Amino acid sequence: MMACTTVTEPRTLAESLLAEIREATREGLGVTRESYGKGENTALRILADKAQELDLRCESDRAGNLWLSLPEDQRDAPFLVIGSHADSVPQGGNFDGLAGIVAGMLILVGLRGRHEDAPPVRVLALRGEESAWYGKAYLGSLSLLGKLPAATLARPRRDGVDTLSEAMARCGADVDAIARGESLIDTARIAAYLELHIEQGPVMVNRGWPVALVTGIRGNVRHNLIRCIGESGHSGAVPRWLRKDALLAVAELLSRMDEHWRVLLQMGMDMVMTTGICSTSAQSHAVSVIPGEVAFSFEVRSQDTQTLERFYTLMREECAAIERARNVRFEFDERLFTEPAIMDAGWLDRMEAAALPGDKLERIASGAGHDAAVFANAGVPSGMVFIRNENGSHNPHEAMDIDDFLLGVDLLTRAMTARA
């Protein structure tokens, strides 16, 4: 018992668990925890082993997600879920997602012996939040809530090794139920979904906020692959008026969309646009070749669905205009849509009221996606706490300070144990 007391000291537990999972899933400079794959499985196994060492109850649901709870808490009342995701992008940072799961474990351990001070609490380690592996985000939470589009199950992994359904089946998921859109949990049993997460942008660092409250989560419309098809030609022999230059067509499209973005921002709309992939065929690379084909991605994010649809319509209209002007054509893969979400006002106020005297909690919108959006859009009251994080995210250089992290854990604990 004396050894267990030492291990469960919050700082020691958090630092040791985060470090163990980092080392076990390290790939090069960063960590790789592929959705429904080896790295994610490793992280979940370590979390489950530590939970059992701490005498927590461990269960897996039919989507393969891991649930932790206090075995002595046998109450049948609706429960609070503290959740985040166990996967990462390829060679990503260690804290993205994982910090929120570890925070939940600290809260569970801290409630031991006084669990009736809060509603029943369940910690949820979700699979497959990152879209990097199968081109679709929120795989674990959407599957759990019966909202994963059946067609997504046929999507191949980024390296073509297998399909999502094959990977999920190997992890014990009930693929047939997920394909039917069957809800694997009664959302009426969930009192609220709460998530602690590092901020994935630079705002909190630059403003000196160790902890902040999240007001909403941007949704997105994206295409993982758009092909602009023109015609290859000799760079010296084809005049401009006869060219079908796919690269210049894509460059013109992105320039036009950047101008639309600037105008919409001036109108006060919330929006960001990104083309993270853009390439010509390596097989035909030559200084003297007019590019005949370009493959690129396109994504727009906003907290407002109408803004997303407006900008997407503009993009398709510009594609049609450029097709006519430059004698090219655009081919689109499946359009993916993720709905924006608003965090619960009651929980925002409750967390704000739980701040220590003299501390002012700022509020900030999340530009990145989180599983909290799925729960919020399913009607579950949801709230998020952001932790300051240097060097951005989706890279190995995430730098969350453990003191900031523990402030966030304490804030959530006070908000959960406060009498509404």
Side-chain angles (χ1 to χ4, degrees), residues 18 47 81-86 94-107 122-126 193-198 384-385 387 400 405 409 412:
L18 289 166
L47 288 166
V81 176
I82 305 173
S84 198
H85 60 98
N94 192 46
F95 304 121
D96 179 4
L98 181 61
I101 301 170
V102 174
M105 294 178 70
L106 295 190
I107 290 171
R122 308 283 187 270
V123 173
L124 176 57
L126 286 154
Y193 175 90
L194 306 175
E195 183 167 358
L196 178 146
H197 203 283
I198 56 169
M384 283 195 71
V385 171
I387 305 301
M400 177 190 74
F405 171 75
V409 171
L412 270 181

Side-chain angles (χ1 to χ4, degrees), residues 18-172:
L18 289 166
E20 182 180 358
I21 294 175
R22 174 194 283 117
E23 290 308 307
T25 58
R26 184 187 293 276
E27 182 181 74
L29 189 58
V31 302
T32 296
R33 302 192 276 261
E34 57 270 43
S35 303
Y36 287 96
K38 178 182 176 183
E40 186 184 70
N41 289 340
T42 298
L44 290 174
R45 176 184 55 77
I46 293 171
L47 288 166
D49 288 347
K50 178 58 69 174
Q52 291 174 344
E53 181 184 321
L54 297 169
D55 194 27
L56 300 176
R57 183 193 296 119
C58 301
E59 302 170 283
S60 293
D61 61 33
R62 287 192 289 156
N65 305 306
L66 176 68
W67 292 82
L68 310 175
S69 58
L70 290 170
E72 62 267 29
D73 192 349
Q74 299 293 323
R75 292 173 292 172
D76 195 36
F79 50 86
L80 297 176
V81 176
I82 305 173
S84 198
H85 60 98
D87 63 332
S88 77
V89 298
Q91 297 194 36
N94 192 46
F95 304 121
D96 179 4
L98 181 61
I101 301 170
V102 174
M105 294 178 70
L106 295 190
I107 290 171
L108 273 184
V109 171
L111 288 173
R112 174 155 281 148
R114 62 183 190 104
H115 63 265
E116 291 190 355
D117 291 348
V121 176
R122 308 283 187 270
V123 173
L124 176 57
L126 286 154
R127 287 186 178 267
E129 189 266 357
E130 300 289 359
S131 64
W133 299 99
Y134 292 95
K136 176 70 175 173
Y138 309 147
L139 301 175
S141 53
L142 287 171
S143 297
L144 178 64
L145 298 177
K147 296 184 179 298
L148 184 74
T152 304
L153 293 167
R155 296 186 70 89
R157 202 172 84 166
R158 59 184 282 140
D159 55 9
V161 168
D162 54 23
T163 64
L164 176 59
S165 64
E166 293 168 339
M168 294 180 84
R170 282 198 301 272
C171 295

Side-chain angles (χ1 to χ4, degrees), residues 119 345-355 414-420:
W347 272 99
L348 276 168
D349 292 342
R350 187 168 177 169
M351 290 189 288
E352 190 169 64
R414 289 193 302 273
M416 291 164 50
T417 55
R419 298 302 176 188

Side-chain angles (χ1 to χ4, degrees), residues 38 91 133 162 189 215 244 257 299 325 337 357 377:
K38 178 182 176 183
Q91 297 194 36
W133 299 99
D162 54 23
R189 301 271 299 130
T215 56
K244 301 177 182 179
M257 297 316 300
E299 178 195 78
F337 173 72
N377 288 326

Side-chain angles (χ1 to χ4, degrees), residues 192-248:
Y193 175 90
L194 306 175
E195 183 167 358
L196 178 146
H197 203 283
I198 56 169
E199 191 208 1
Q200 295 175 272
V203 175
M204 292 174 66
V205 168
N206 281 278
R207 294 184 175 174
W209 303 341
V211 178
L213 303 180
V214 178
T215 56
I217 299 169
R218 283 178 174 147
N220 68 71
V221 176
R222 66 168 54 153
H223 283 280
N224 291 323
L225 175 65
I226 305 173
R227 296 169 66 223
C228 179
I229 301 171
E231 185 175 277
S232 297
H234 191 293
S235 64
V238 184
R240 186 183 188 281
W241 66 280
L242 290 176
R243 290 194 180 206
K244 301 177 182 179
D245 190 321
L247 182 57
L248 282 181

